[in-house]
Amino acid sequence: MLYTCILTIGTLGNAQTAVPGDAVIDLAGYGARPNSFENAAPAVVKALEACRGKTNATLRLPGGRIDLWPDGAFKRELYVSNDTESDSLSKVKHIGFLLDGMAGLTIEGNNTLVVLHGKMVSFAFINSRDVTLRNIAFDYERPTMSEVRVASVNDSAAVLAVHPDSRYQVRDGRLVFYGEGWKTNRFHTIRFSPATSAMYYSSFQPFLKAAVKETAPFQLAFSGDFRKRDFSKDDVLTFRDPYRDNCGGFIWLSKNIRLEGVQMHYMHGLGIVSQFSENISFRRVSVKPREDSGRIIAAFADAFHFSGCKGTILIDSCVASGLHDDPVNVHGTHLKITEKIDDRHVKLQFMHHQTYGFAAFFAGDSIAFIDPGTLQEMGYARIRKAVLVNKKEMVAELDRPVPGAAGPGLCIENLTWTPSVEIRNSLFERTNTRGVLITTRRKVVIENNVFRRTGMHAILIADDAASWYESGPVRDVTIRNNTFESCGYNQAPGSYVIALLPENHQRAPVYYVHRNITITGNTFDLMDAPVLIAKSVAGLVFNANRIKRGAGGGALLKQPAFELRDCKNISIKKNTTDLPWPVQVHITATDRKTVQTDLHITTP
């Protein structure tokens, strides 16, 4: 590690003085005044430029609050995986802290709260290495998520208390929510129930169709049809325009990136996106609203998103609380072959409308040809040269002839850019979707975490080449000593806590997409009965776990706790349970002889 400037001991904020001989750049020396509410963006630009070329430099922030506006900030056209809409609108982003082509830099936050104005990216590390960001918090002056509390409601009327951070206007009987340079055109709505501390899909349409008037500041009275409501008094409705045009932080083509003691109190668009980068560690990174904000939501979509990375991804002692999507998603990207140009050249296309515009293959990368129906590997090669010929297409030159079966319609997976992953000692809660999504061929360890009331599967291992085009299979996964509290309530009766569900739509004889998954020592506090579903898995161990009836759970549907479809070499043994009926294993297209269990097995 190149930096030796600042030593952080213990908890957030105990920063010590710099080691003599290392360059320390004070942001205050470039005109940034804390708690002034002035635009510090020009000062950040100047200070970071002063860091360029220095060895083991530290940019030291002043503490307190600084404000950043787009005016005078960094600007860069960026194409971000899963976060770039397919249209002709500008993809230029305004960025708070941009590091491009820098090495050995530490940004020491000194507990500074950075408040962003408009739609801004908090930080972007591009073509950089050995960078540390620590002891810093980011928030928005006006989050692009609006929140309202149901103060009262009956069949024909409702009163909403609007959160003070959610700016609005009532004009000519119409309600508009707006921010700094934007307004909400569509209302993707998630309901938070304080009574259950759970989140559910909902709709804001009954309010948009009703007559509205402002009866007091931040209080709106509606007259309309609320007979089909799915919300109750004191529920909080959180809504956003789902158009993705930004991200919270961006790490691209970079190596050895460390985030320590970083607090993301709100992120617009996707969260922190790491794209084709190597060795990334997040320690004590939290994605949750400020304690004194009264807000529920901290992230427009995912919290920690990794697309096409390699080396090691570490998430340790982190928190994700209050999201409209998944806390963690680790995947690659399948590109589809659209043309076999000759024996060694193929044209490839990005297929999902929110993922395109960046190189997905590099010279020397190993690749696999994937049948999108079965997800089976149909051959292998190395990339000699790959060129992004336009925003959605690449031409790849291979080191050997294209396999005979690998024509148009098949996909290519990048095997080189697949990371090992460690997720430990973290808390994932207050999301209506999944907890952790993992699709990587290298070693995965998920341990000592708490998954609290994730609306869907707490852990999903998928792989697909037809919808999101997120690759690929897993080969070595350990899930141990975690606690799962009342997860999956948004998917009953398919509310499995853990789902091993590749999207292979055709069955290939004696081929299994996922392999070697061990789940042991975990505690499952159930809201509903299903624990695990597995499809096309060879080598699954689910042993020595505790299965409990969770407090305040749902109906506890009386269905088999385990569902196995087209699997082999399964062990489900020595698990304990207090459920009031027998825990069973249901198998389909699976040889009973390959399932070792001390539970009762049922078949169709």
Side-chain angles (χ1 to χ4, degrees):
M1 184 64 189
L2 294 179
Y3 73 89
T4 56
C5 316
I6 300 291
L7 299 177
T8 302
I9 303 173
T11 59
L12 176 66
N14 295 328
Q16 306 300 305
T17 57
V19 175
D22 293 333
V24 177
I25 307 297
D26 279 308
L27 183 61
Y30 291 83
R33 298 196 303 155
N35 307 313
S36 67
F37 303 96
E38 299 169 349
N39 185 12
V44 172
V45 172
K46 293 175 185 177
L48 280 172
E49 190 56 35
C51 295
R52 186 174 298 279
K54 292 182 170 59
T55 302
N56 298 339
T58 295
L59 174 62
R60 186 162 57 195
L61 274 61
R65 165 177 170 156
I66 64 171
D67 289 70
L68 303 181
W69 273 265
D71 185 25
F74 293 102
K75 293 172 62 176
R76 184 66 55 87
E77 183 178 69
L78 298 177
Y79 289 83
V80 181
S81 177
N82 297 69
D83 197 45
T84 303
E85 299 288 352
S86 182
D87 56 31
S88 60
L89 296 181
S90 173
K91 309 306 176 190
V92 173
K93 320 296 183 189
H94 294 90
I95 304 166
F97 292 79
L98 172 63
L99 279 60
D100 191 349
M102 301 185 74
L105 177 65
T106 295
I107 299 176
E108 171 54 59
N110 281 326
N111 291 338
T112 301
L113 171 64
V114 180
V115 178
L116 305 172
H117 295 259
K119 295 180 178 179
M120 294 185 68
V121 180
S122 301
F123 60 87
F125 304 152
I126 302 171
N127 291 304
S128 296
R129 61 186 297 148
D130 301 306
V131 171
T132 299
L133 175 68
R134 65 188 181 200
N135 302 339
I136 191 170
F138 294 91
D139 205 348
Y140 273 56
E141 175 68 14
R142 174 20 170 152
T144 55
M145 187 83 62
S146 297
E147 301 187 8
V148 297
R149 181 179 61 84
V150 180
S152 64
V153 63
N154 58 40
D155 288 350
S156 60
V159 175
L160 295 182
V162 181
H163 190 282
D165 286 350
S166 299
R167 300 178 189 173
Y168 68 92
Q169 183 181 62
V170 177
R171 175 177 289 185
D172 299 326
R174 292 182 59 84
L175 175 62
V176 176
F177 285 87
Y178 67 92
E180 297 174 293
W182 57 269
K183 70 175 183 177
T184 299
N185 296 305
R186 293 178 292 166
F187 290 76
H188 179 76
T189 304
I190 302 296
R191 173 175 63 92
F192 173 71
S193 169
T196 61
S197 194
M199 299 178 70
Y200 308 86
Y201 287 106
S202 187
S203 173
F204 203 67
Q205 289 303 309
F207 297 96
L208 297 178
K209 294 177 180 179
V212 57
K213 62 180 180 179
E214 185 180 41
T215 56
F218 301 104
Q219 182 167 295
L220 301 173
F222 296 82
S223 299
D225 186 356
F226 297 98
R227 290 173 296 177
K228 296 181 180 180
R229 62 186 180 273
D230 62 358
F231 47 83
S232 304
K233 184 178 182 298
D234 293 328
D235 283 356
V236 178
L237 302 179
T238 69
F239 50 88
R240 58 180 167 88
D241 190 320
Y243 184 89
R244 293 189 180 186
D245 56 358
N246 211 17
C247 61
F250 190 42
I251 302 169
W252 183 32
L253 298 174
S254 295
K255 183 177 181 179
N256 301 338
I257 305 298
R258 296 169 174 82
L259 272 61
E260 301 172 355
V262 175
Q263 301 177 48
M264 309 300 290
H265 295 306
Y266 185 74
M267 296 188 286
H268 171 64
L270 215 50
I272 302 174
V273 180
S274 302
Q275 176 175 290
F276 284 94
S277 292
E278 181 178 0
N279 298 339
I280 302 163
S281 69
F282 294 170
R283 285 187 169 92
R284 296 179 293 110
V285 177
S286 69
V287 179
K288 64 178 182 179
R290 276 183 286 162
E291 295 294 336
D292 61 352
S293 72
R295 298 201 307 258
I296 299 298
I297 302 299
F300 175 112
D302 295 357
F304 310 129
H305 196 105
F306 303 86
S307 175
C309 293
K310 67 178 181 180
T312 299
I313 292 171
L314 172 65
I315 298 173
D316 189 356
S317 304
C318 295
V319 175
S321 177
L323 317 176
H324 265 211
D325 217 324
D326 313 310
V328 180
N329 190 352
V330 182
H331 66 88
T333 300
H334 284 121
L335 270 66
K336 180 173 284 189
I337 300 174
T338 57
E339 181 182 353
K340 181 179 176 181
I341 299 172
D342 58 38
D343 284 350
R344 292 177 183 259
H345 292 82
V346 290
K347 182 178 286 187
L348 309 171
Q349 182 174 327
F350 287 97
M351 298 304 297
H352 193 271
H353 68 278
Q354 291 173 330
T355 299
Y356 67 97
F358 53 88
F361 300 95
F362 304 90
D365 287 351
S366 296
I367 62 170
F369 296 89
I370 305 296
D371 182 324
T374 63
L375 297 177
Q376 186 171 9
E377 297 151 12
M378 308 302 291
Y380 305 91
R382 285 187 180 273
I383 299 289
R384 280 187 174 173
K385 184 180 180 181
V387 178
L388 190 67
V389 295
N390 58 54
K391 298 299 183 185
K392 293 195 173 181
E393 292 184 309
M394 295 192 74
V395 171
E397 179 185 348
L398 310 181
D399 69 338
R400 67 197 69 179
V402 179
L410 263 67
C411 291
I412 289 184
E413 178 187 359
N414 194 327
L415 305 183
T416 296
W417 290 86
T418 54
S420 61
V421 179
E422 300 174 22
I423 303 173
R424 54 171 56 103
N425 308 319
S426 297
L427 168 64
F428 307 114
E429 66 174 4
R430 288 195 180 184
T431 177
N432 61 301
T433 57
R434 288 71 53 104
V436 170
L437 280 68
I438 292 284
T439 50
T440 177
R441 295 168 178 262
R442 301 185 194 275
K443 186 176 181 62
V444 175
V445 177
I446 303 172
E447 64 180 356
N448 301 323
N449 305 288
V450 175
F451 296 82
R452 181 174 295 148
R453 299 208 166 201
T454 61
M456 298 179 182
H457 314 299
I459 297 176
L460 170 61
I461 298 176
D463 186 15
D464 84 272
S467 55
W468 283 93
Y469 288 83
E470 294 183 356
S471 60
V474 300
R475 294 290 181 261
D476 183 355
V477 175
T478 299
I479 302 170
R480 65 187 173 214
N481 301 333
N482 302 281
T483 299
F484 301 93
E485 299 178 5
S486 300
C487 298
Y489 55 86
N490 273 339
Q491 288 184 306
S495 52
Y496 299 93
V497 179
I498 296 177
L500 316 175
L501 283 178
E503 295 182 33
N504 52 330
H505 305 296
Q506 302 170 24
R507 184 183 181 191
V510 299
Y511 178 76
Y512 300 87
V513 177
H514 295 313
R515 304 175 195 164
N516 302 327
I517 300 171
T518 299
I519 304 169
T520 184
N522 303 280
T523 298
F524 294 82
D525 288 345
L526 299 181
M527 176 168 280
D528 289 302
V531 175
L532 176 140
I533 184 169
K535 173 188 175 187
S536 193
V537 176
L540 168 64
V541 174
F542 189 99
N543 290 352
N545 300 281
R546 291 202 308 159
I547 302 171
K548 300 168 55 182
R549 184 170 185 166
L556 283 172
L557 302 172
K558 294 183 180 181
Q559 64 186 94
F562 300 90
E563 178 79 24
L564 306 177
R565 303 173 184 172
D566 189 21
C567 296
K568 75 170 185 178
N569 298 338
I570 308 298
S571 175
I572 303 176
K573 293 182 177 180
K574 300 180 180 179
N575 302 289
T576 61
T577 179
D578 65 357
L579 295 184
W581 57 83
V583 176
Q584 298 181 337
V585 179
H586 185 76
I587 63 173
T588 305
T590 299
D591 186 347
R592 187 167 183 157
K593 295 177 182 178
T594 70
V595 179
Q596 304 299 315
T597 183
D598 47 18
L599 302 175
H600 178 65
I601 294 178
T602 65
T603 58

